[in-house]
Amino acid sequence: MNIPLLDHLQSLAKTSASPASKLLRSQAVATVEAVREALPELLAVAVIDIESGRSLAAHSNTPALTPAKAARYHTEVVRQKRQALQALSLPDEKIEDILITLREQLHLLRISADDQRLLYLVVSSHDTNLAIARTVLRMHSE
């Protein structure tokens, strides 16, 4: 019997079980854990695959914050900013990080050194020093 949804789920399981995928996911989990250790007061952290927009690993200290849900949107922010750099004829420039400032939170997006992953960090604007948060992201994106 041909059930499209079941076939799709099985193909996803086969794809995610590849050795390269397992290695990428384990590296993402290690990165999330390292950021958590460096910034225990963080609200959320995730490692996102830029090409697919899928979260490879994520953690949240706040039930209302689900970084995996926002992963696609953040990759789109990066894509749009890259297009803006092209439109401005700035081919030698490279995005280091993107800061989204909210009333109570700071959302930081940092692209990995290989341009394949996006590190997403959410911290309280009252409890966390922005410079320290940026430094932690920089250390774990290389």
Side-chain angles (χ1 to χ4, degrees):
M1 181 176 350
N2 184 10
I3 302 171
L5 177 61
L6 182 58
D7 292 341
H8 178 69
L9 291 174
Q10 288 174 340
S11 71
L12 287 175
K14 289 177 186 173
T15 304
S16 65
S18 71
S21 178
K22 286 181 181 179
L23 176 62
L24 192 59
R25 193 169 297 275
S26 68
Q27 290 171 340
V29 168
T31 298
V32 165
E33 290 303 315
V35 172
R36 285 180 61 201
E37 286 178 23
L39 287 172
E41 69 277 5
L42 66 78
L43 299 176
V45 61
V47 176
I48 302 165
D49 177 67
I50 292 176
E51 186 177 325
S52 68
R54 194 180 73 231
S55 175
L56 300 172
H59 172 79
S60 178
N61 286 331
T62 307
L65 250 164
T66 312
K69 283 185 180 178
R72 275 184 303 137
Y73 301 105
H74 291 308
T75 56
E76 188 58 33
V77 167
V78 170
R79 286 186 193 112
Q80 292 295 319
K81 189 59 187 174
R82 285 178 173 169
Q83 288 178 357
L85 290 175
Q86 287 178 343
L88 293 169
S89 298
L90 298 171
D92 297 334
E93 288 295 335
K94 186 176 175 183
I95 300 168
E96 291 211 5
D97 65 34
I98 298 171
L99 170 64
I100 301 168
T101 307
L102 305 178
R103 190 170 39 89
E104 300 287 326
Q105 299 171 355
L106 302 173
H107 292 235
L108 290 129
L109 307 172
R110 176 119 185 147
I111 299 169
S112 64
D114 64 3
D115 269 356
Q116 301 298 311
R117 289 171 307 285
L118 176 66
L119 277 71
Y120 170 48
L121 176 67
V122 182
V123 295
S124 167
S125 58
H126 303 292
D127 299 337
T128 306
N129 179 304
L130 178 58
I132 292 171
R134 277 187 160 145
T135 300
V136 167
L137 276 186
R138 187 177 325 112
M139 286 179 0
H140 296 289
S141 66
E142 297 173 351

